[in-house]
C-alpha cells in the first residue's frame, strides 16, 4: 500500500502547498487591508473548488465503472495521458512562478477588493480549483494503475495534511522554506513518476485497441522477476515499471523522461536563486473597505457552491450508468423465454431478467448463429429478478433459457444495427472436450502404470530394510501420484486410501484408517522400523494396482477438466505451501512442483480450446508457470528440497505470490470452457 501511496503523497503535498500558499496570501492580504469581513468570500471560493474537485473525482470513478472493459481501457489511457500533460504543465509553471507567487496573488486580490464579492469568490475559486482538478485526475490515474484506492488516497491525505501544516507555519512566520528549491526537487521526482503514468496509459490504449503493438514486448522479465517481491512492488507502485513492457511503453517512457527532464533541468539552471525563502506577504497600508450590504442569507452561497457541483456530478453518474434496455423486463422460463425483449441500443446495457416459471433457471444472452455468449445469469430462482449487464454492438441477439429440469429454449432473435465488436465467449460442448478428455485419461493411465511400479519398489526397499533408499523411492512415487491431480475427483475412495491426511481421524497419525503415502512418510521420518511399515507399503501397492484397474471404468466428467485447471493449485496453496500435509519429509515443495507439472499437462490438452477463446490468457499463464517453476527450482539443490518451514521470508513470499498470481490468471478458464446447454 505504501508503495502505491508515495506518488499520491507527493502530488498531494505539492498541489496542497500550491493551493495553500495562494489561500494564505489571500487571507493575509485581506487581514492587512483590514478587510476581515471579506474572508468568508475567500473561504466560499475555496469550498467551491474543493466541492468541484471531489465531484470531478466521483464522476471519473463511477462513469468509468459503467463502461465495458475495452472502453475502460481507452478511457483510462486517455485520462492518464491528460494527467501527465497537466502534471508536466504544473511542474514547469511552479518552477517559474514560485519566486513571484505572492506578488501576483496580491495584485489579483487588490483588483478583486475593488470589484465586489463575486470577483473575490471567483479569484479564490480559480486559484484553488486548478490544483484541485489536477489532484483529482492524478489520484484517479494512480489509483487505477495501482488497482486499489486505499494506498493512493492515504498518501494524498497525508500529503494534503502536511501541506496545510506547512502553509499555516508560513502564514504565522513559524517556518522558513526555500520554495524554489522545494518545487524544483519535487518537480524532478514528479517528472519521473509522470513518465510511468504515461507508460501505463499507453498500455491501456494498446489493450483497448486504439494503439498498435500490444504484443510486441521490448522487455519481458516475467520469468525471472518475482512480481510479488518488495523491489518489484516498489518499482510498480512508484514508477509504474512492470516486468513486461511493450516497445511503445518503453519508447514513450524514455522519450518523455529524456525530453521533459532535459528541459526542466535547463530551466532550473537559468533561474536565479530566490531572495527569500518565505513568500512575501503584503505590507500594511491598503485602505480599509466598507463591508457591502447583505442582500441574501450568509449561508446561501456556501451551500450553493457545495450543492451544485455535487448535484451535477450525481446527474452525470446517473446518466452514464447503463440503463435497462428499453426499460422493460425480460421473462425467463421454458414457456415465455425472452418475452419483452426488443432490440436494444448499442453500448453497455442492463437487462432486467425475471424468472416467470416454476423452476430455477440459467439464462444466456447469445448470438443464435454461433451460440456465443455475451452475458449470463445462473441460479435465477422462480419469481425473482436480477440484472444482467452486457455490451451490445451490431449483430443478432437472442435469449437462451435453461430450466434446471428441462430442455433449453431459445427466444426469437432481434437485430441490432451498427458495427460489430462486442466480445463474446464461444461455448464448448461435451464433444469439444471429448478429445482433451481422451488425451488426459491416457496421460493418467500412463502415470498409474508408473505409480504401480514405483510403489512396488518402495515396498521392496522397506521389506529389505533399506530405509534410506525407501525414503528416496517414496518421494519419487509420491510425486508421480501428485502429478495426476486433475483426476483425483474421479479416484473415488482410492484417493483417501493412497494419499489421505490424518485430519479428523480419532487416533490422528496412529489411527488404523490412516494409510497410504502420508502414513508411510510419517513412519520413515519418525524412526519406525521396516517391520512396522511393511504392511502399510504392501497395502499401498495393492491400492495403487486397484486404482489402475478401476480407473478406465470410473466416471470422469469432461466438465471437470476446466475446473481442475484452477483447483490443483488451490490445493497446493492451501496444503503443500502451508506445510499442512508434511509428515516429516519436508518435501512440500517437491509435491508443489509435481502439482505444477500436472497443471501444465492439463493446460496442454486444453490449449486448442483456450487458444481460440483467450489467446492472451495463455501467454500470461505460461509466463506465470515459468516464474513459479524457477522459484521452485531454486529451492531444489543437490537433490534435496528446502522444507517449507525453512524457507526464508522473502522466498516464501515469492513462491506464495507467484502461486497466487497464477491462480488468479487461471480463474477465467472454468467460465471460458463451461459446457452450456443449447436448444
Amino acid at each position: 500500500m505504501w508503495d502505491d501511496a508515495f506518488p499520491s503523497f507527493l502530488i498531494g503535498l505539492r498541489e496542497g502547498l500550491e493551493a495553500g500558499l495562494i489561500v494564505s496570501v489571500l487571507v493575509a492580504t485581506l487581514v492587512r487591508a483590514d478587510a476581515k469581513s471579506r474572508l468568508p468570500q475567500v473561504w466560499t471560493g475555496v469550498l467551491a473548488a474543493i466541492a468541484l474537485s471531489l465531484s470531478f473525482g466521483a464522476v471519473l470513478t463511477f462513469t468509468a465503472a459503467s463502461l465495458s472493459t475495452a472502453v475502460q481501457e481507452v478511457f483510462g489511457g486517455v485520462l492518464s495521458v491528460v494527467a501527465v500533460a497537466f502534471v508536466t504543465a504544473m511542474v514547469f509553471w511552479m518552477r517559474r512562478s514560485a519566486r513571484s507567487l505572492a506578488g501576483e496573488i496580491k495584485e489579483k486580490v487588490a483588483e478583486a477588493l475593488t470589484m465586489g464579492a463575486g470577483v473575490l469568490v471567483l479569484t479564490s475559486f480559480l486559484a484553488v480549483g486548478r490544483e484541485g482538478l489536477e489532484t483529482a485526475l492524478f489520484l484517479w490515474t494512480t489509483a487505477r494503475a495501482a488497482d486499489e484506492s486505499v494506498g493512493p488516497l492515504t498518501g494524498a491525505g497525508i500529503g494534503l495534511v502536511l501541506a496545510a501544516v506547512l502553509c499555516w507555519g508560513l502564514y504565522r512566520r513559524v517556518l522558513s522554506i526555500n520554495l524554489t528549491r522545494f518545487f524544483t526537487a519535487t518537480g524532478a521526482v514528479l517528472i519521473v513518476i509522470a513518465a510511468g503514468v504515461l507508460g501505463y496509459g499507453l498500455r491501456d490504449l494498446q489493450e483497448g485497441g486504439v494503439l498498435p503493438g500490444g504484443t510486441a514486448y521490448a522487455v519481458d522479465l516475467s520469468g525471472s522477476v518475482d512480481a510479488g517481491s518488495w523491489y518489484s512492488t516498489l518499482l510498480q507502485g512508484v514508477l509504474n515499471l512492470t516486468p513486461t513492457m511493450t516497445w511503445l511503453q518503453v519508447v514513450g517512457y524514455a522519450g518523455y523522461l529524456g525530453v521533459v527532464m532535459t528541459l526542466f533541468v535547463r530551466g532550473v539552471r537559468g533561474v536565479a536563486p530566490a531572495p527569500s525563502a518565505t513568500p512575501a506577504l503584503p505590507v500594511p497600508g491598503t485602505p480599509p473597505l466598507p463591508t457591502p450590504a447583505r442582500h441574501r442569507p450568509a449561508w446561501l452561497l456556501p451551500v450553493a457552491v457545495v450543492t451544485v457541483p455535487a448535484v451535477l456530478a450525481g446527474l452525470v453518474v446517473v446518466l452514464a450508468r447503463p440503463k435497462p434496455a428499453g426499460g422493460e423486463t425480460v421473462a425467463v422460463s421454458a414457456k415465455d423465454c425472452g418475452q419483452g425483449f426488443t432490440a436494444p441500443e448499442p453500448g453497455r446495457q442492463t437487462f432486467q431478467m425475471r424468472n416467470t416459471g416454476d423452476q430455477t433457471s440459467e439464462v444466456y444472452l447469445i448470438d443464435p448463429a454461433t451460440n456465443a455468449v455475451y452475458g449470463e445469469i445462473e441460479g435465477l430462482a422462480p419469481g425473482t429478478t436480477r440484472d444482467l449487464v452486457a455490451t451490445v454492438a451490431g449483430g443478432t441477439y437472442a435469449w437462451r433459457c435453461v430450466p434446471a429440469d428441462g430442455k433449453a429454449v431459445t427466444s426469437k432473435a432481434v437485430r441490432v444495427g451498427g458495427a460489430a465488436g462486442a466480445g463474446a465467449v464461444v461455448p464448448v460442448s461435451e464433444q469439444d472436450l471429448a478429445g482433451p478428455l481422451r488425451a488426459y485419461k491416457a496421460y493418467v493411465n500412463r502415470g498409474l502404470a508408473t505409480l504401480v511400479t514405483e510403489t512396488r519398489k518402495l515396498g521392496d526397499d522397506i521389506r529389505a530394510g533399506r530405509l534410506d533408499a525407501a525414503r528416496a523411492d517414496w518421494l519419487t512415487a509420491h510425486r508421480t501420484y501428485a502429478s495426476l491431480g486433475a483426476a483425483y475427483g474421479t479416484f473415488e475412495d482410492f484417493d483417501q486410501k493412497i494419499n489421505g491426511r490424518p485430519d479428523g481421524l480419532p487416533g490422528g497419525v496412529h489411527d488404523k484408517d490412516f494409510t497410504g503415502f502420508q502414513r508411510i512418510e510419517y513412519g520413515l521420518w519418525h524412526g519406525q522400523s521396516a517391520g512396522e511399515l511393511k504392511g502399510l507399503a504392501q497395502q499401498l501397492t495393492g491400492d495403487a494396482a486397484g486404482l489402475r484397474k478401476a480407473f478406465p471404468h470410473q466416471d470422469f466428467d469432461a466438465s471437470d477438466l476446466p475446473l481442475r485447471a484452477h483447483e490443483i493449485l488451490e490445493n497446493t496453496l492451501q496444503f503443500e505451501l502451508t506445510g499442512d500435509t508434511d509428515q516429516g519429509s519436508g518435501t512440500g515443495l517437491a509435491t508443489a512442483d509435481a502439482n505444477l507439472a500436472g497443471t501444465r499437462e492439463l493446460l496442454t490438452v486444453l490449449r486448442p480450446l483456450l487458444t481460440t477463446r483467450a489467446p492472451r490468457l495463455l501467454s500470461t499463464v505460461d509466463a506465470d508457470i515459468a516464474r513459479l517453476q524457477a522459484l521452485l527450482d531454486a529451492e531444489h539443490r543437490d537433490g534435496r528440497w528446502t522444507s517449507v518451514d525453512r524457507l526464508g521470508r522473502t522466498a516464501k513470499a515469492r513462491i506464495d505470490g507467484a502461486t497466487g498470481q497464477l491462480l488468479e490468471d487461471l480463474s477465467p478458464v472454468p467460465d471460458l470452457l463451461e459446457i452450456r446447454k443449447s436448444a
Side-chain angles (χ1 to χ4, degrees), residues 188-528:
V189 178
L190 274 179
I191 289 173
V192 177
I193 293 174
V197 175
L198 177 62
Y200 179 84
L202 293 175
R203 181 59 179 162
D204 275 352
L205 293 174
Q206 287 180 314
E207 292 180 349
V210 174
L211 296 177
T215 58
Y217 292 104
V219 178
D220 189 355
L221 303 177
S222 56
S224 56
V225 175
D226 178 19
S229 64
W230 68 268
Y231 56 86
S232 181
T233 303
L234 182 66
L235 289 175
Q236 292 183 65
V238 176
L239 304 180
N240 273 305
L241 291 176
T242 58
T244 57
M245 296 183 70
T246 65
W247 279 106
L248 182 60
Q249 282 182 280
V250 171
V251 171
Y253 184 96
Y256 172 87
L257 193 59
V259 173
V260 176
M261 188 64 80
T262 300
L263 294 174
F264 184 77
V265 172
R266 287 180 179 176
V268 169
R269 290 174 179 172
V271 174
S276 174
T278 306
L281 295 177
V283 297
T286 303
L289 296 172
T291 302
R294 295 182 182 272
H295 300 289
R296 63 179 69 89
W299 53 264
L300 182 60
L301 188 56
V303 170
V305 299
V306 173
T307 304
V308 171
V311 170
L312 291 177
L315 289 174
V316 171
V317 170
V318 170
L319 293 174
R321 293 178 63 185
K323 301 297 188 300
E328 299 173 336
T329 299
V330 181
V332 177
S333 72
K335 180 180 179 181
D336 49 11
C337 180
Q339 193 173 93
F341 179 48
T342 57
E345 294 294 326
R348 188 87 162 163
Q349 299 289 351
T350 298
F351 301 92
Q352 294 178 342
M353 312 304 300
R354 181 168 181 79
N355 189 338
T356 58
D358 56 4
Q359 295 186 52
T360 298
S361 298
E362 299 176 0
V363 60
Y364 310 109
L365 179 63
I366 65 168
D367 179 346
T370 64
N371 288 323
V373 177
Y374 294 92
E376 64 182 301
I377 294 178
E378 297 181 352
L380 184 61
T384 60
T385 301
R386 284 163 58 186
D387 288 348
L388 186 152
V389 180
T391 300
V392 176
T396 304
Y397 297 84
W399 292 103
R400 178 159 293 155
C401 305
V402 187
D405 298 320
K407 295 182 61 177
V409 178
T410 303
S411 73
K412 181 181 178 181
V414 300
R415 178 73 185 174
V416 176
V425 176
V426 179
V428 298
S429 64
E430 290 191 19
Q431 185 61 36
D432 293 326
L433 284 170
L437 181 60
R438 284 193 299 270
Y440 195 79
K441 290 179 73 172
Y443 162 76
V444 174
N445 275 317
R446 293 192 300 271
L448 290 176
T450 302
L451 179 67
V452 171
T453 301
E454 292 171 348
T455 54
R456 284 174 179 166
K457 185 179 180 183
L458 171 62
D460 291 342
D461 289 335
I462 291 177
R463 281 193 298 273
R466 299 187 296 268
L467 296 187
D468 285 339
R471 293 184 185 95
D473 291 338
W474 174 89
L475 180 58
T476 300
H478 188 239
R479 279 169 52 82
T480 296
Y481 185 79
S483 67
L484 309 179
Y488 72 83
T490 68
F491 289 167
E492 299 173 352
D493 294 339
F494 283 104
D495 184 59
Q496 180 62 30
K497 296 176 182 178
I498 293 173
N499 201 40
R501 298 188 300 276
D503 303 356
L505 296 177
V509 294
H510 302 291
D511 197 279
K512 63 181 178 61
D513 292 328
F514 181 35
T515 61
F517 278 113
Q518 292 193 39
R519 175 62 183 88
I520 295 174
E521 176 190 3
Y522 178 84
L524 286 173
W525 274 271
H526 284 83
Q528 291 189 335

Side-chain angles (χ1 to χ4, degrees), residues 558-617:
S559 63
D560 285 345
L561 282 181
L563 294 174
R564 299 294 183 260
H566 190 261
E567 290 175 349
I568 297 174
L569 290 175
E570 274 188 339
N571 288 344
T572 302
L573 192 61
Q574 180 180 0
F575 299 118
E576 275 71 38
L577 296 184
T578 60
D580 183 74
T581 56
D582 185 10
Q583 301 300 327
S585 67
T587 57
L589 293 184
T591 306
D593 181 73
N595 289 339
L596 184 62
T599 301
R600 187 184 292 110
E601 182 66 30
L602 181 58
L603 290 172
T604 298
V605 302
L606 295 177
R607 186 170 292 269
L609 295 175
L610 290 171
T611 299
T612 57
R613 289 166 173 81
R616 291 184 180 179
L617 174 67

Side-chain angles (χ1 to χ4, degrees), residues 66-82:
S66 67
L67 302 174
S68 66
T69 302
V71 177
Q72 281 188 39
E73 299 290 353
V74 176
F75 184 70
V78 170
L79 288 185
S80 294
V81 174
V82 172

